[in-house]
Amino acid sequence: MQVLKKVALFFLVIGLFGCNNRLTDNRITLSDQKYEIVDYDVLDESLKVENALNVGVLLPLSGKAANIGQGMQNAMFLALDDLKNNKVVLKFYDTKSTGIGAADAAEKAIAGGAQLILGPLMSEEVKSASRVALSDDIPVISFTTSPQVLQKGVYSIGLLNGEQVDRIVSYAAAKGKKRIALLLPDNNSGLNILKSALMSALSKDAAVTQVGFYNPDSVDFSSIVKELSLAADFDAVLIADGGNRLKSMASMFAYNDILYPDVLFLGTAAWDNTNLSKETMLYHGVYPMVSKKYDSYFTEKYKNTFGEQPKTVYSFAYDSVLLASVLSSKCKSGLDSCITNRNGFNGVNGYFKILPTGQSYHSLEVLEVTKDGPKVISAANRQNSDYIENEMDIRYISYENLPKFYGKNSSEVISWLYNN
């Protein structure tokens, strides 16, 4: 079957030029973003490089997530331009932002000779694509943040909620803030954060005391914040949201006299996408983020090339190509053992490693909200990424030591925790 996909012009240059030819900036202008329809059957012979690693990239290039998918594709093009490694050959396949589209894309990628799959993005896509890939023993390095779809052979390079929560709960506990409340969206992401917080707190001699769930589409958080504030059985509160919702929640806590220094506000990486320099209620609040020591290079190059600020996920797309390049040079067989190498890897997001469970763990900074912008108050280092590979069973927490739940039926929450 003929496979027709959109590929940037400079990808063709990488695929067609020999080892001794360097891809130079004056040979192609990335910012033109020109695309051609390429018949891979015609180009197959030209694209074959001795001992090359053939990588199928599954991204949502159309559908509801098309803008993100195209931005991720652009980031991968930048990585290829930087690497100048023609021993890694990428072929792009559109998942159409659906599970069915992802399964179809995976089938086409494998039929096209893929030895490794990068992507997809969303959990539904990963679940569908991985069924196809695993049946052919093709490892998948996805960008999902949902741990439920990960397993041996299906990995994530993305920033998972579990590692963010573990980093920030560890920081809070070290500062003596050991009774933690959570304000979470009422969806799977919120429940995953709850599970991670419970396990992390247990390992740090801390406790999650109260949990408030809110409708993720809501703009009014006064009732749920008031319920949490009335008991106020906490000295830290984690708000797992960003943007205007975060600002609204912070103002509601202030209205109910929940303020620093009595209470330390904790966040997730979602805070990094929000300008908080004027949000006085959140001053001294802290949140985890990948190291920006090298990310600034990627951010500036992306902005200069494509004329826009890259989303955080784009940098993970860039790093996935760096990882594929390492695999192409050092691991021609047994990709799974190379992917889960305990020594880990370094990319524009700093140090990271991928675990046999499928989860990734990054070395994370802790940033403090100040009037002058975010300030690093705890540097990223490799110790931050010593994730517990065998997670604690949530059942170790006795029923009477579970937190009080607001905004969601407690039996429903507990049932989810015990079965996920």
Side-chain angles (χ1 to χ4, degrees):
M1 179 186 297
Q2 253 186 7
V3 181
L4 300 180
K5 291 293 162 190
K6 287 185 176 181
V7 179
L9 291 176
F10 79 88
F11 167 67
L12 297 183
V13 176
I14 288 176
L16 296 174
F17 274 73
C19 299
N20 296 322
N21 289 294
R22 290 177 60 82
L23 178 63
T24 57
D25 290 336
N26 63 4
R27 188 170 292 162
I28 134 177
T29 305
L30 296 176
S31 57
D32 284 347
Q33 299 189 63
K34 296 177 181 177
Y35 299 89
E36 285 185 351
I37 299 297
V38 179
D39 185 339
Y40 282 125
D41 290 338
V42 172
L43 289 177
D44 253 355
E45 293 304 315
S46 298
L47 288 173
K48 284 180 181 174
V49 177
E50 187 178 357
N51 296 323
L53 178 66
N54 293 305
V55 182
V57 183
L58 278 53
L59 293 175
L61 301 176
S62 64
K64 63 183 179 182
N67 287 341
I68 295 176
Q70 289 162 9
M72 294 173 73
Q73 185 183 54
N74 288 340
M76 289 180 165
F77 292 159
L78 293 185
L80 286 173
D81 184 44
D82 283 342
L83 287 167
K84 302 182 174 37
N85 176 10
N86 70 337
K87 298 236 171 179
V88 57
V89 178
L90 304 188
K91 294 183 181 181
F92 293 84
Y93 302 86
D94 184 9
T95 65
K96 302 177 182 177
S97 303
T98 68
I100 294 174
D104 181 57
E107 289 175 357
K108 290 177 178 177
I110 294 169
Q115 300 160 277
L116 172 70
I117 287 176
L118 299 182
L121 172 63
M122 297 175 287
S123 59
E124 177 191 4
E125 296 176 316
V126 176
K127 187 175 181 180
S128 298
S130 61
R131 281 197 293 262
V132 176
L134 289 177
S135 66
D136 281 271
D137 290 326
I138 306 298
V140 175
I141 301 176
S142 73
F143 304 100
T144 183
T145 58
S146 176
Q148 280 77 26
V149 298
L150 303 177
Q151 58 180 298
K152 181 179 179 181
V154 182
Y155 311 102
S156 175
I157 196 174
L159 186 58
L160 302 181
N161 288 323
E163 57 180 317
Q164 298 178 52
V165 170
D166 188 65
R167 179 70 166 108
I168 206 63
V169 168
S170 297
Y171 177 84
K175 296 299 180 182
K177 302 293 188 179
K178 295 192 174 185
R179 299 189 62 77
I180 302 168
L182 310 176
L183 186 54
L184 307 173
D186 186 4
N187 53 26
N188 277 345
S189 177
L191 289 166
N192 279 321
I193 290 172
L194 168 59
K195 183 178 179 181
S196 297
L198 287 169
M199 292 189 296
S200 183
L202 182 64
S203 68
K204 307 297 186 301
D205 193 30
V208 176
T209 57
Q210 298 171 240
V211 182
F213 289 96
Y214 59 88
N215 183 333
D217 297 321
S218 176
V219 293
D220 182 4
F221 309 101
S222 55
S223 296
I224 191 66
V225 171
K226 183 177 181 180
E227 284 191 271
L228 288 175
S229 302
L230 284 174
D233 183 22
F234 52 85
D235 52 21
V237 57
L238 189 154
I239 303 176
D241 216 324
N244 290 331
R245 289 190 297 274
L246 168 60
K247 295 176 182 181
S248 177
M249 292 171 193
S251 65
M252 286 296 101
F253 275 112
Y255 180 79
N256 286 278
D257 294 325
I258 304 298
L259 300 164
Y260 180 85
D262 295 326
V263 173
L264 177 64
F265 285 91
L266 314 175
T268 65
W271 283 28
D272 202 56
N273 296 320
T274 306
N275 184 358
L276 300 174
S277 59
K278 296 182 180 179
E279 304 304 315
T280 56
M281 296 83 69
L282 287 173
Y283 284 177
H284 306 289
V286 292
Y287 64 93
M289 194 58 197
V290 292
S291 173
K292 294 184 180 295
K293 183 177 179 181
Y294 304 106
D295 178 67
S296 58
Y297 160 78
F298 166 75
T299 299
E300 288 306 309
K301 181 163 185 175
Y302 192 98
K303 281 165 53 178
N304 291 338
T305 303
F306 299 108
E308 62 180 12
Q309 181 79 15
K311 298 183 184 300
T312 301
V313 70
Y314 298 176
S315 63
F316 293 103
Y318 182 100
D319 274 353
S320 74
V321 178
L322 267 59
L323 175 55
S325 180
V326 171
L327 297 176
S328 75
S329 302
K330 297 183 178 180
C331 191
K332 299 301 187 301
S333 61
L335 284 173
D336 286 288
S337 61
C338 292
I339 292 168
T340 58
N341 178 354
R342 293 184 67 88
N343 291 327
F345 307 92
N346 285 291
V348 294
N349 288 313
Y351 173 79
F352 69 94
K353 61 183 175 182
I354 298 178
L355 308 177
T357 58
Q359 295 174 316
S360 60
Y361 219 67
H362 298 78
S363 184
L364 302 178
E365 299 175 334
V366 174
L367 303 176
E368 179 183 11
V369 178
T370 76
K371 64 181 179 63
D372 299 316
K375 173 186 175 184
V376 177
I377 55 172
S378 180
N381 59 60
R382 292 195 179 194
Q383 276 85 26
N384 299 151
S385 56
D386 288 336
Y387 187 67
I388 301 169
E389 297 190 17
N390 296 313
E391 289 187 344
M392 290 185 220
D393 193 320
I394 204 74
R395 294 173 184 81
Y396 286 153
I397 303 175
S398 61
Y399 183 84
E400 58 269 20
N401 287 329
L402 286 170
K404 294 180 180 178
F405 299 107
Y406 302 89
K408 191 175 181 68
N409 183 277
S410 60
S411 60
E412 184 181 344
V413 176
I414 294 168
S415 174
W416 188 94
L417 290 171
Y418 283 3
N419 290 286
N420 290 274

